[in-house]
Amino acid sequence: MAQLFDDLQLILSRLVVKIRALGFWALVYSYCGICASVAVLKLFWSMGRRPTQAFQCKIREHPPACLNDPSLGTHCYVTIKDSGLRFHYVASGERGKPLMLLLHGFPEFWYSWRHQLREFKSEYRVVALDLRGYGETDGPSHRENYSLDSLILDIKDILDALGYSKCVLTGHDWGGMISWLIAICYPEMVTKLIILNFPHPTVFTEYVLQHPSQLIKSAHYFFFQMPWLPEFMLAVHDFKFLKNLFISQASGIGRNGCRLTEEDIEAYLYIFSQPGALTGPINHYRNLFSCLPLKRHEVTTPTLLLWGEKDAFMEVEMAEITRVYVKSYFRLTVLSTASHWLQQDQPDIVNKLIWTFLKEEGQRKRE
């Protein structure tokens, strides 16, 4: 009788798991359809208002001077043996110093860390990477090549290729997601973890499912599951949507922030206007839901989480919940006037907070 009861419990538990999985994927695909429908309606609306401008899409042939500014560091390339991919990065600071590795978000590239490349080179070998499929880094054509496992292994292999076994790992937005996962899977590689505007991945997935407001703010995660349409929508009106992410009142850097110059914006347009340049970045998202939920959660690395409260894409409540999953020293600082683009928006404050964390953690170890 006891055995029968145990068998029933096992069957029921498996059934609950399958029902939850079915509900999860039903939500994903339903919301994908809604987001796609809204995007198409917006496209038709813009075509009706300005039909001659809707499909203008100018490829920038020459990089703006700021991308070759020698004060930012040296442009370098490294080829990973296992994948065969060539990665582009910009490095500042002397070789042999401790490594600070910077991982950008979407839709960004190494240049989003320009203020940090200058700031931390006095004590670190600072490396701002173009992630797989971004900028001058190779981008495989198939979405299967952008699994979270592949993205994590990229960073591990790059550390090896650079001659390091560990680093201060810093990530913003999607780069923050990857940084969390590296700290979870390979804690020995990360001496200190610094995250900007991205919660612990488990917090994010659970919070999205429980809070419709965050589900709406995360609509792009679902919209990006569609083939070709997201790339098309980002490019119409000469990348107007892309530009508005950084400069609009709704999602861009605020009045009190360090606003992007025309040359900064041209740097982004130069990178993302190249043929096929949007597909790799969006492919990062196209494998996300098949990799969640995580099997491992705990972070044992000293962690600094910085958050811009005016973030249009991430609700600040997730920042405090993240504390539950960090089993080491954890410091959270919320900047009340900062946007999602934190390291560009408030570079001086962000740099100061990072320095404080690095020195504070060093003092704690000596004590």
Side-chain angles (χ1 to χ4, degrees):
M1 192 68 179
Q3 182 62 42
L4 178 62
F5 182 74
D6 290 342
D7 290 344
L8 284 173
Q9 272 194 320
L10 181 60
I11 292 170
L12 285 172
S13 63
R14 287 178 177 175
L15 183 61
V16 168
V17 170
K18 289 183 178 180
I19 290 173
R20 289 184 65 183
L22 181 63
F24 174 75
W25 285 109
L27 172 65
V28 169
Y29 286 113
S30 298
Y31 200 37
C32 285
I34 292 171
C35 293
S37 300
V38 171
V40 170
L41 287 173
K42 286 182 177 180
L43 175 61
F44 284 146
W45 174 256
S46 64
M47 288 171 58
R49 293 180 62 196
R50 298 175 181 175
T52 58
Q53 299 179 15
F55 300 107
Q56 288 182 355
C57 179
K58 177 185 174 184
I59 297 174
R60 275 67 178 175
E61 296 182 359
H62 304 289
C66 61
L67 292 183
N68 293 308
D69 183 348
S71 71
L72 295 177
T74 305
H75 289 261
C76 307
Y77 300 86
V78 60
T79 300
I80 304 303
K81 291 181 180 179
D82 290 342
S83 66
L85 298 179
R86 189 182 77 155
F87 283 78
H88 169 254
Y89 64 92
V90 173
S92 64
E94 296 175 10
R95 296 179 185 271
K97 289 182 176 180
L99 177 64
M100 177 182 284
L101 185 60
L102 308 174
L103 307 183
H104 63 79
F106 174 90
E108 297 175 295
F109 62 113
W110 71 266
Y111 187 70
S112 69
W113 296 107
R114 58 196 176 278
H115 302 291
Q116 289 69 43
L117 282 163
R118 293 190 182 102
E119 178 70 21
F120 295 100
K121 65 183 180 181
S122 60
E123 294 189 22
Y124 290 90
R125 173 70 168 173
V126 188
V127 170
L129 186 69
D130 276 342
L131 295 173
R132 177 183 290 224
Y134 279 85
E136 294 185 56
T137 291
D138 289 346
S141 57
H142 298 294
R143 60 183 290 176
E144 293 77 13
N145 297 123
Y146 293 84
S147 68
L148 288 177
D149 286 342
S150 298
L151 303 179
I152 294 169
L153 286 174
D154 283 345
I155 307 307
K156 184 176 183 296
D157 291 340
I158 285 167
L159 246 68
D160 291 339
L162 294 176
Y164 288 86
S165 60
K166 55 188 178 181
C167 68
V168 174
L169 186 59
T170 305
H172 168 249
D173 183 69
W174 184 258
M177 161 78 94
I178 297 172
S179 298
W180 280 117
L181 295 175
I182 293 167
I184 293 169
C185 299
Y186 299 101
E188 71 281 0
M189 287 173 42
V190 186
T191 57
K192 298 175 185 68
L193 180 65
I194 301 169
I195 305 292
L196 287 72
N197 280 75
F198 201 93
H200 186 285
T202 299
V203 173
F204 177 67
T205 52
E206 292 180 352
Y207 193 90
V208 165
L209 295 174
Q210 296 169 9
H211 296 80
S213 56
Q214 181 58 54
L215 187 68
I216 293 171
K217 291 179 179 179
S218 302
H220 59 290
Y221 282 75
F222 298 86
F223 178 51
F224 287 169
Q225 305 307 307
M226 306 292 293
W228 69 263
L229 184 59
E231 290 94 324
F232 178 76
M233 290 297 299
L234 285 170
V236 296
H237 284 292
D238 196 26
F239 303 94
K240 181 180 179 181
F241 180 80
L242 195 69
K243 288 183 281 189
N244 284 344
L245 286 174
F246 297 103
I247 65 175
S248 72
Q249 187 174 354
S251 63
I253 296 172
R255 293 179 181 177
N256 296 325
C258 184
R259 306 293 290 270
L260 268 63
T261 66
E262 288 295 327
E263 190 176 37
D264 292 335
I265 294 170
E266 277 303 308
Y268 280 91
L269 295 180
Y270 169 75
I271 292 296
F272 291 107
S273 69
Q274 304 308 308
L278 287 166
T279 298
I282 293 173
N283 276 342
H284 280 247
Y285 292 85
R286 288 177 170 141
N287 281 289
L288 175 63
F289 294 112
S290 61
C291 301
L292 298 173
L294 301 179
K295 295 179 181 179
R296 297 167 60 186
H297 307 278
E298 290 188 356
V299 176
T300 57
T301 304
T303 301
L304 171 66
L305 177 58
L306 302 178
W307 203 280
E309 193 170 2
K310 300 297 183 183
D311 192 328
F313 310 103
M314 294 282 176
E315 295 187 354
V316 70
E317 288 77 11
M318 291 187 287
E320 184 59 42
I321 303 172
T322 290
R323 187 184 302 272
V324 175
Y325 293 96
V326 181
K327 304 305 179 184
S328 181
Y329 177 76
F330 178 77
R331 174 178 286 274
L332 167 64
T333 301
V334 178
L335 304 182
S336 60
T337 62
S339 68
H340 177 74
W341 319 104
L342 193 54
Q343 76 273 26
Q344 301 183 80
D345 186 336
Q346 304 283 347
D348 293 340
I349 296 175
V350 166
N351 292 346
K352 184 178 179 180
L353 290 169
I354 292 175
W355 274 126
T356 300
F357 171 71
L358 294 173
K359 293 176 180 178
E360 182 180 66
E361 181 57 22
Q363 291 173 354
R364 280 195 340 108
K365 284 187 175 181
R366 287 193 291 272
E367 293 172 359

